[in-house]
Amino acid sequence: MNALLTTVIFYLVIKVKLFKLMVLSVKGGFDLKSAPAILAELENYLKREAITKTQFAERSGIHSGTLSNMIRGRRPIAIQQLDRITQAMGQDEGFFYNLYIDNYIIDSSRDWRRIGALLQRCADLNKLDCIQRIVQHVMDNLMYSPMLFDTAEALFAKDRLAAAALLYEYVAESERSQHSERLALCHYRLFTIALGDNQDDNLRAADRFEPFVERLDEVDQLDALKELANTYRSLQRWDKVDELAGKMGHKARIQYELQQAPHRKSEESHKAPGRPLFFISPTATYCVGMCVMSWGIMSRPLFISIVMPI
């Protein structure tokens, strides 16, 4: 009887300890499955250099209490803190990023604040292999698609084009069966990023993107058609140039008429195409232009559409 009671008590104690560990993990402590390789590297460094946690905290600019909690596994390391630790240890920027992905992305709960911050830093350092590892891990859950797209847009705006292209590709692949504006925008961004000096590559980029133009916002369609027309012009595909110029004229006229509608005049701001939106087809049918000077400030934006004789 006593042996049975002792066994029951032993198992109860084990369950209580396991429960406490699970709670700690949920609250942001160490993950039961992860080997804290970064923390091991840090502790080895402290021993090797014979410095205290307080001294390292001063060197890294991290509060000593925060550093102590991280080493004990009571809180995860934020990417900004990892950068400070890396610098204080005399390593190159991003030295521990692959370990960070292992410990805090793959082997831990998916926290978008952590993932998003890491993607931004990887883009800043052009660590495309790290970006690929992160995205491959999270894209089995389509919930992350809008957030990855927003991150791609932020990187695109910052001219981090290679990193943005990776994210656009993954989002486009995950939404390939949908007919969304986001999918079309991904292909539009990939088209503009792909344009370069190689004309064969430019033609492939244009052919890949063109079927998605009509899914874009009406104003974005104007900009996209202009970019496509300029691409085909450089390829001397005058039939495509004239075709796209005609579409531009039609869509630009519709946008101008919408801007002149009484219910739109009271609006203080609205989306406008890129400036200047002006295109000329020198070989045949169209000279289509839309000159929008200080759009939203002038009361009457100027629209020009001229049919040229051949």
Side-chain angles (χ1 to χ4, degrees):
M1 184 68 178
N2 288 336
L4 179 60
L5 182 60
T6 301
T7 303
V8 170
I9 292 173
F10 173 79
Y11 280 112
L12 286 174
V13 169
I14 294 297
K15 285 187 176 182
V16 168
K17 287 185 177 181
L18 286 173
F19 177 77
K20 286 182 177 179
L21 290 173
M22 291 173 65
V23 170
L24 180 60
S25 178
V26 170
K27 287 183 176 179
F30 61 87
D31 192 297
L32 295 175
K33 296 184 297 180
S34 94
I38 292 175
L39 299 182
E41 291 278 350
L42 176 56
E43 290 193 285
N44 289 337
Y45 175 83
L46 296 179
K47 291 176 183 177
R48 187 171 63 250
E49 299 296 321
I51 61 176
T52 66
K53 294 174 185 176
T54 301
Q55 290 171 325
F56 188 82
E58 292 175 357
R59 182 184 297 184
S60 63
I62 300 173
H63 189 275
S64 58
T66 300
L67 181 65
S68 179
N69 283 331
M70 287 190 298
I71 291 175
R72 293 176 182 176
R74 292 178 178 173
R75 62 179 298 168
I77 303 175
I79 192 64
Q80 297 86 350
Q81 294 166 336
L82 179 63
D83 286 339
R84 291 184 179 185
I85 289 170
T86 304
Q87 184 179 18
M89 291 174 66
Q91 300 290 359
D92 294 334
E93 281 187 293
F95 181 81
F96 290 118
Y97 280 6
N98 271 306
L99 280 179
Y100 189 85
I101 294 169
D102 291 335
N103 293 169
Y104 295 100
I105 305 296
I106 294 176
D107 292 334
S108 185
S109 59
R110 297 177 184 179
D111 185 331
W112 176 253
R113 290 174 298 179
R114 198 179 303 154
I115 294 169
L118 180 56
L119 286 171
Q120 292 281 353
R121 285 297 293 142
C122 288
D124 291 341
L125 301 177
N126 202 35
K127 286 187 166 292
L128 303 183
D129 57 328
C130 290
I131 292 176
Q132 246 176 334
R133 287 191 67 205
I134 296 165
V135 178
Q136 285 173 350
H137 178 65
V138 303
M139 277 310 292
D140 60 337
N141 188 338
L142 293 180
M143 176 189 75
Y144 289 98
S145 185
M147 291 176 281
L148 286 172
F149 175 79
D150 290 342
T151 302
E153 289 285 83
L155 295 177
F156 183 83
K158 290 169 62 178
D159 208 33
R160 303 283 192 263
L161 300 184
L166 267 178
L167 299 185
Y168 286 130
E169 286 284 6
Y170 275 103
V171 174
E173 176 63 21
S174 70
E175 300 191 0
R176 65 185 183 280
S177 59
Q178 302 180 30
H179 297 275
S180 64
E181 184 181 338
R182 184 165 57 227
L183 174 62
L185 271 170
C186 284
H187 282 283
Y188 183 21
R189 300 289 191 241
L190 288 168
F191 164 65
T192 57
I193 291 171
L195 292 178
D197 297 330
N198 188 306
Q199 296 288 48
D200 290 335
D201 289 344
N202 291 346
L203 178 59
R204 280 191 289 270
D207 287 341
R208 181 188 181 192
F209 166 57
E210 192 171 351
F212 294 92
V213 172
E214 293 296 328
R215 302 185 198 177
L216 291 169
D217 171 270
E218 288 83 356
V219 174
D220 285 332
Q221 288 181 30
L222 282 170
D223 286 326
L225 287 169
K226 180 186 68 174
E227 295 295 337
L228 278 171
N230 281 328
T231 301
Y232 284 119
R233 176 187 57 79
S234 68
L235 295 166
Q236 299 187 8
R237 289 284 305 276
W238 304 117
D239 56 331
K240 294 294 295 183
V241 171
D242 286 340
E243 175 191 336
L244 293 168
K247 289 181 179 180
M248 283 175 64
H250 175 70
K251 292 181 183 296
R253 186 178 295 107
I254 291 173
Q255 287 302 308
Y256 174 73
E257 290 171 356
L258 286 173
Q259 294 300 331
Q260 298 307 301
H263 69 280
R264 296 293 296 272
K265 290 183 178 180
S266 60
E267 296 181 6
E268 294 184 1
S269 62
H270 46 264
K271 188 172 183 179
R275 295 177 298 186
L277 181 55
F278 186 81
F279 181 76
I280 296 176
S281 168
T283 60
T285 314
Y286 299 103
C287 170
V288 180
M290 185 174 182
C291 303
V292 184
M293 304 172 62
S294 301
W295 188 292
I297 299 175
M298 289 187 65
S299 59
R300 286 182 61 85
L302 176 63
F303 171 76
I304 306 168
S305 178
I306 305 171
V307 178
M308 298 176 63
I310 298 176

